[in-house]
Amino acid sequence: MPSYFSKQLPEFLSGWRGAIIALGSGLLMGLSVSPTDAWYLGWIALAPLWAIVARNRPTNVARYGLCWGIGYHGVVISWILGVHPMTWMGVPWATSLAIAIVCLVILTLWGAVLVTIWASLLGLLQRYFQPQPWLRVLWGTALWCGLEYLWSQGDLWWSTLALGQSPNNLPILHLGQLSGGTTVTALLVAVNGSIGEACLAYSQQKSWKAPALSALGLLLSGHLIGYGLYQTALTTNSADALQVGIIQGNIPNEIKLYPAGRQQAIEGYTTGYLTLASQGVQAILTPEGALPYYPDEIRQSSLYAAVQAQGVPIWLGAFGRAGENYTNSLHAIDGSGNFLTHYDKYKLVPLGEYVPFKAIIGQWVSRLSPLKAELQAGKSDQEFDALPGIRAIVGICYESAFGEHFRQQAPRGEFILTASNNAHYAANMPAQHHAQDVMRAIETSRWAVRATNTGYSAIVDPHGHTLWRSNLHQFATHSHQIYRQRQQTLYVRWGDWLTPTLAGASLGLGLIAPRRRS
């Protein structure tokens, strides 16, 4: 059997068969992500690509990485097609479909480039060195983590491998408290790599037990460490308790920016505010852009009058002014109606909220984009005083994908507020967005309060438990008690220390690794 396997494996891991296997395993990895939630696939779905890279020439592996990346990122990002139709914005139906398809292709290929580079670099290392299986696993893990770090520094970032473990595998997500989502990604790559090495050793009639045991050991030890962090007791001092309310307005995008939608928003959020105020909440959170007004217009609304009458502070999603531009903001309004502070969205959505490379290709991109005006991005070092003497971590919509954005605020922020719309996209996007915020709550060990326009709004505790989640496309209000937290995880204190550590170890061992003869 091993002899037959060794003869057949090279054929199946090359050519068109290898491309199909790579694409299929990428699709399987995509199924690990919400709403499919087959998180267990994340521990095996990269192994076929690993074996393919190790069995093929460095000049050939790039195409297999591209196939895997298209499969994975194509599944995860498929929710972007939900932007169609945009006829309500005056975009013709056919043009709207073209925009949606182009966006899907660009985002998928951008993610696939990461995997293509990873496969190519790992193949080149194998060409010039004679690495032991464990060293190849180290190199592959360091490369993947380094590339994810680079991709997360840009504006197009969403589908880290770690996302597939959220929100279901809570013990493993607690490894994020050590070095952020990178810790989870590193373990996923290392386990898959060890499985791939075991399969290769078996096909070559070599000892496969060592890499197989390594995969099992990494999997079990990672879960045990995560489970230990998961069992840490939460502090629930009554002095730190805060009763918060959430309003999910459910205003369809088709009418949101028009008179009928604005009227529905004013009425809905005023009614929701009064309902929650009567339940004794201490503050109320609304979604991103709940009222598409500027502060001076908000002061003329019935919601503002209700705040002055009831005296309950509100965190209101609306516009803000930045010179001649405007911002996507969350305003903190106290019980007297004073605008205390505001947070301006820092990570804007390309094409959705700004036109990238406008100075170079502005006219061409503007024809594809439905934007008539652009938002002004906020500063990266903003602080949000949610209530007098109480500071919160804030993320608006797309920012939930950027763990570092939350980590920078965590030393002073005592809980998380995220305000999102989510009405633009298909139903799998709200599920993934919720999964992102579960990761952020665990990494920072903070309670998270999520308000969205059309769902999912939620309450998440610092261990990632979703204590309440709304239904999609329904008006909803909810009152819940959360607790302010001040402890700092290792990730909050040190950031992503694992990626440079892996890079340093890989470089050091690479200097002494045996090289192949020319």
Side-chain angles (χ1 to χ4, degrees), residues 125-200:
L125 287 172
Q126 181 170 292
R127 177 181 179 180
Y128 291 107
F129 296 90
Q130 293 178 310
Q132 294 293 319
W134 63 269
L135 183 55
R136 188 157 50 203
V137 170
L138 174 63
W139 284 350
T141 303
L143 284 172
W144 197 292
C145 292
L147 288 168
E148 280 206 357
Y149 172 80
L150 291 176
W151 256 242
S152 69
Q153 302 307 299
D155 288 340
L156 295 178
W157 180 241
W158 185 264
S159 42
T160 170
L161 286 189
L163 183 60
Q165 301 303 299
S166 184
N168 297 288
N169 193 354
L170 295 181
I172 211 68
L173 290 179
H174 277 69
L175 296 179
Q177 294 184 348
L178 303 178
S179 186
T182 297
T183 326
V184 180
T185 293
L187 187 63
L188 284 164
V189 176
V191 169
N192 275 276
S194 298
I195 294 173
E197 294 292 342
C199 293
L200 288 171

Side-chain angles (χ1 to χ4, degrees), residues 142 498-508:
L498 182 59
T499 296
T501 300
L502 290 172
S506 298
L507 180 61

Side-chain angles (χ1 to χ4, degrees), residues 191-251:
V191 169
N192 275 276
S194 298
I195 294 173
E197 294 292 342
C199 293
L200 288 171
Y202 183 79
S203 71
Q204 297 167 352
Q205 302 183 40
K206 297 179 180 179
S207 176
W208 55 272
K209 293 182 180 179
L213 289 174
S214 294
L216 182 61
L218 287 169
L219 183 65
L220 292 178
S221 60
H223 278 81
L224 286 173
I225 295 171
Y227 185 76
L229 296 170
Y230 180 46
Q231 292 301 308
T232 304
L234 299 178
T235 56
T236 55
N237 296 326
S238 58
D240 293 325
L242 189 64
Q243 195 73 23
V244 297
I246 297 172
I247 307 174
Q248 179 172 294
N250 194 37
I251 312 296

Side-chain angles (χ1 to χ4, degrees), residues 93-105:
W93 191 92
T95 303
S96 171
L97 179 61
I99 291 174
I101 293 174
V102 167
C103 288
L104 176 62
V105 170

Side-chain angles (χ1 to χ4, degrees), residues 58 63 145 219 234 242 249 300 302 348 366 397 450 478 487:
R63 60 186 175 185
C145 292
L219 183 65
L234 299 178
L242 189 64
Q300 309 303 316
S302 60
L348 302 182
S366 296
C397 195
R450 307 189 65 241
H478 182 74
Q487 71 273 19

